Amino acid sequence: MKKWDDNKAWFMVIPVFLVVAVSAILPLMTVVNYSIQDIFGPDNRIFVGIEWYREVLTDSRLHDALNRQLLFSSLVLLIEIPLGILIALMMPKKGWGASLSLVLVALPLLIPWNVIGTIWIIFTRPDIGLFGAAINGLGIAFDHTGAPLDAWITVMLMEVWHWTPLVALLAYAGLQAIPEAYFQAARIDGASTWATFRYIQLPKMRGVLTIAVLLRFMDSFLIYAEPFVLTGGGPGNSTTFLSIYLVKLAVGQFDLGPAAAFSIIYFLIVLLFCWLFYQVLLKVGTGDKS
Amino acid sequence: MKFQKRTVGLIIYFFLLLLPIYWMLNMSFRTNADILSVFSFYPHEPTFDNYLKIFTDKSWYSGYLNTIYYVSMNVVISLMTALPAAYAFSRYSFLGDKHLFFWLLTNRMAPPAVFLLPFFQLYSTFNLIDTHFAVALSHCLFNVPLAVWILEGFMSGVPREIDEMAYIDGYSFPRFFLTIFMPLIRTGIGVTAFFCFMFSWVELLLARTLTTTVAKPIAATMTRTVSASGLDWGLLAAAGILTIVPGALVIWFVRNHLAKGFALGRV
């Protein structure tokens, strides 16, 4: 659609600009301010330049957290995307079954994030949890508060349980947008289920799947509340992801300088991915119209 | 045959999906002593004590009221500011529009943990700490960009000829926007409101940091219980179940547009 060329449209954007500026630009400036100073009190501060950045960039615990984060986000994508597509393919296309499946699928997305953690604590505890008790009953020792691997499995299970529905809903929206004529043509040609999926459904879902991949990557990169409630970043530091480490640094130890420098670096990493995201989205947007 | 396999698969998935929630529901109808002593798949002696406690103890139920209060405030602010902006993005090209849109997007992706400390400082300066407004405003950080994004998608689905016709017929912009355009995209507005509600409802980190007592959200009341020694699992489970209820209620109204909304109106 061609758009009107008019700079007066800025007036309509001003409210949004102001609201987001107050809640984004001002805080970010404060963070930058902190990241280059050592603050002892309101009137006692020393300019330290890039000192904090150097400290943060050479912090081995931060490197560990970043590696952990990347591994986590990759695993999330590898499991949730195929599973989400599979669920979307299984969901009925119309009728009451479709409405019911939509509501059920979306349910985990509406639960406050810390409650998600609570649900999974209750579910996986060896003494009172169904999952924990069942696994232990099979003779496998399982304790997410003690063993790092078990903690990882629990966090992954929770993450998959919580966010696969988002992928499923996106894929479902993509499937719904395919005209029925495509399937009729496929049926006439005698195409197998696999061929229909590979050559009709999958290509048509490209747009929504791109959004799904990128949203899942972003949000898993920023994950905080669920693992914090479930494992508190432990045992040891085995489930300390970037956000958890940052909050530990800023609120727990009150190291404002390093925490601020870390925030800036964290934000720049996210910004980089965000830019890639936007480029891909633009490409997908134009690809559909041609 | 194929249809049956599908349905069976779906039923298995829903079973696994509902199992953890069912387990919490099961806990919520039992007393703490019962939970810790007997392992049971269903409540033997169902009790409403946990729910009663939440509905009668002010420190619990005020948490719900606070959450509902700031979430509604946030939805209103987000919609009011995002509607004109989304219209501008969908209809006009103007100086820096693409950059501005990208900048808005980055705020949706910003880690809330990064903003934790500066928000606290900023709102302290303006004496806004522990007010509902502070939480509502801080949630605008991710909800306003999201609202602009979804609304823009829905608005772009309305042909521009409708705008042109209205202007030719002598409609002023506000009158056109309120009486013709908004009814046309009412689905989109509903879906956007739902998503703003949802993301504000599930957020904890900022809400917890910016409040102490007066505007404390229910989620924070729950974490306080978690961190205390001697957990009351039954009470915790009941509180958790009650946080799911509002979401489960509103979801019904947008069920048919849910998928499109999650695709940010761009399907």
Side-chain angles (χ1 to χ4, degrees):
Chain A
M1 184 162 66
K2 209 186 152 292
K3 293 176 179 179
W4 290 308
D5 227 335
D6 192 349
N7 283 335
K8 281 205 281 284
W10 255 98
F11 285 110
M12 292 189 231
V13 189
I14 281 177
V16 161
F17 184 79
L18 285 180
V19 167
V20 181
V22 167
S23 49
I25 295 181
L26 281 178
L28 267 184
M29 276 160 54
T30 323
V31 176
V32 172
N33 193 18
Y34 280 150
S35 73
I36 51 171
Q37 299 187 72
D38 197 349
I39 295 169
F40 301 105
D43 301 311
N44 189 2
R45 47 183 69 191
I46 304 167
F47 178 78
V48 294
I50 59 165
E51 181 64 32
W52 297 132
Y53 288 93
R54 194 176 299 138
E55 187 183 314
V56 165
L57 283 174
T58 52
D59 181 358
S60 67
R61 279 173 306 171
L62 178 81
H63 293 166
D64 291 347
L66 182 63
N67 287 337
R68 224 173 274 137
Q69 186 72 68
L70 286 170
L71 176 66
F72 179 73
S73 294
S74 320
L75 278 175
V76 161
L77 288 183
L78 277 178
I79 299 174
E80 288 183 8
I81 299 294
L83 194 62
I85 295 175
L86 188 69
I87 293 163
L89 286 172
M90 290 190 302
M91 278 163 63
K93 281 186 179 165
K94 43 178 155 314
W96 64 269
S99 294
L100 182 71
S101 334
L102 277 174
V103 171
L104 280 178
V105 164
L107 199 57
L109 299 171
L110 287 153
I111 304 173
W113 294 342
N114 68 310
V115 178
I116 300 266
T118 310
I119 290 178
W120 280 83
I121 290 179
I122 294 177
F123 193 58
T124 52
R125 268 182 69 109
D127 52 348
I128 60 170
L130 181 60
F131 180 78
I135 292 281
N136 282 324
L138 290 173
I140 305 163
F142 182 89
D143 182 11
H144 68 72
T145 55
L149 183 66
D150 294 354
W152 261 83
I153 292 173
T154 316
V155 173
M156 277 313 292
L157 269 177
M158 174 177 70
E159 167 68 27
V160 168
W161 178 82
H162 186 189
W163 285 110
T164 305
L166 178 72
V167 182
L169 282 173
L170 283 168
Y172 185 72
L175 286 174
Q176 291 287 66
I178 304 174
E180 187 56 27
Y182 280 78
F183 296 109
Q184 283 165 1
R187 225 168 293 136
I188 291 166
D189 289 347
S192 66
T193 315
W194 168 249
T196 315
F197 173 71
R198 173 65 188 81
Y199 296 104
I200 297 176
Q201 289 168 320
L202 198 58
K204 282 279 166 193
M205 276 195 289
R206 205 186 67 176
V208 281
L209 284 184
T210 315
I211 298 178
V213 168
L214 293 159
L215 272 184
R216 278 321 301 133
F217 186 81
M218 295 292 169
D219 287 345
S220 66
F221 213 78
L222 312 180
I223 190 167
Y224 175 79
E226 305 98 310
F228 177 76
V229 172
L230 186 62
T231 64
N237 276 325
S238 58
T239 52
T240 302
F241 301 115
L242 284 176
S243 275
I244 296 181
Y245 186 56
L246 175 56
V247 174
K248 259 187 199 167
L249 211 59
V251 182
Q253 308 171 7
F254 221 66
D255 288 337
L256 293 187
F262 180 10
S263 299
I264 299 286
I265 295 167
Y266 194 3
F267 193 60
L268 285 178
I269 296 175
V270 175
L271 210 62
L272 175 73
F273 284 121
C274 209
W275 179 76
L276 290 173
F277 179 9
Y278 195 58
Q279 293 303 313
V280 175
L281 258 187
L282 280 182
K283 211 166 275 173
V284 169
T286 50
D288 283 350
K289 275 163 201 158
S290 62
Chain B
M1 185 60 208
K2 206 181 90 210
F3 173 76
Q4 282 173 348
K5 235 189 328 190
R6 260 181 186 204
T7 316
V8 169
L10 203 61
I11 288 170
I12 292 174
Y13 173 68
F14 285 143
F15 176 73
L16 294 176
L17 184 87
L18 292 174
L19 204 56
I21 300 178
Y22 167 74
W23 199 249
M24 190 161 78
L25 189 69
N26 172 13
M27 295 278 165
S28 73
F29 287 117
R30 299 165 63 187
T31 61
N32 204 35
D34 185 30
I35 291 170
L36 291 173
S37 58
V38 193
F39 188 86
S40 162
F41 292 98
Y42 59 92
H44 284 291
E45 297 154 3
T47 163
F48 287 96
D49 287 357
N50 297 321
Y51 291 97
L52 268 179
K53 177 150 172 38
I54 289 171
F55 283 122
T56 49
D57 187 340
K58 188 166 187 300
S59 68
W60 278 104
Y61 71 76
S62 67
Y64 285 99
L65 296 179
N66 288 335
T67 309
I68 289 170
Y69 192 34
Y70 73 69
V71 167
S72 327
M73 210 189 259
N74 172 267
V75 171
V76 172
I77 299 175
S78 301
L79 278 181
M80 298 273 275
T81 52
L83 272 169
Y87 184 78
F89 281 119
S90 92
R91 291 297 192 261
Y92 297 99
S93 67
F94 50 93
L95 190 67
D97 54 350
K98 289 203 175 61
H99 299 100
L100 192 65
F101 201 67
F102 173 63
W103 175 66
L104 282 177
L105 212 67
T106 60
N107 291 306
R108 165 69 184 82
M109 307 300 174
V114 168
F115 289 94
L116 204 62
L117 216 57
F119 270 178
F120 192 79
Q121 302 263 330
L122 188 68
Y123 292 140
S124 300
T125 315
F126 291 102
N127 268 329
L128 282 171
I129 290 294
D130 206 19
T131 60
H132 302 96
F133 183 65
V135 184
L137 196 64
S138 71
H139 284 179
C140 284
L141 175 70
F142 46 85
N143 266 353
V144 167
L146 185 80
V148 172
W149 202 3
I150 299 180
L151 282 173
E152 197 265 344
F154 275 95
M155 285 179 181
S156 296
V158 178
R160 205 180 60 169
E161 282 71 25
I162 291 181
D163 307 33
E164 282 165 353
M165 291 297 278
Y167 294 139
I168 290 168
D169 286 350
Y171 275 80
S172 67
F173 172 71
R175 185 153 161 251
F176 156 74
F177 198 81
L178 291 175
T179 60
I180 300 180
F181 199 69
M182 287 204 8
L184 276 175
I185 54 155
R186 62 179 185 277
T187 314
I189 295 176
V191 170
T192 311
F194 169 77
F195 276 91
C196 290
F197 168 89
M198 174 183 132
F199 281 109
S200 186
W201 183 260
V202 297
E203 207 281 336
L204 166 78
L205 189 55
L206 292 173
R208 195 186 60 180
T209 314
L210 296 177
T211 56
T212 45
T213 47
V214 183
K216 197 184 179 80
I218 180 62
T221 315
M222 283 180 67
T223 37
R224 186 200 57 191
T225 320
V226 170
S227 57
S229 59
L231 296 179
D232 190 339
W233 293 108
L235 196 60
L236 195 63
I241 289 294
L242 286 176
T243 61
I244 304 179
V245 172
L249 286 179
V250 284
I251 203 174
W252 187 253
F253 297 105
V254 290
R255 62 188 185 281
N256 295 324
H257 311 287
L258 206 60
K260 200 178 175 207
F262 272 108
L264 304 166
R266 280 173 181 264
V267 178

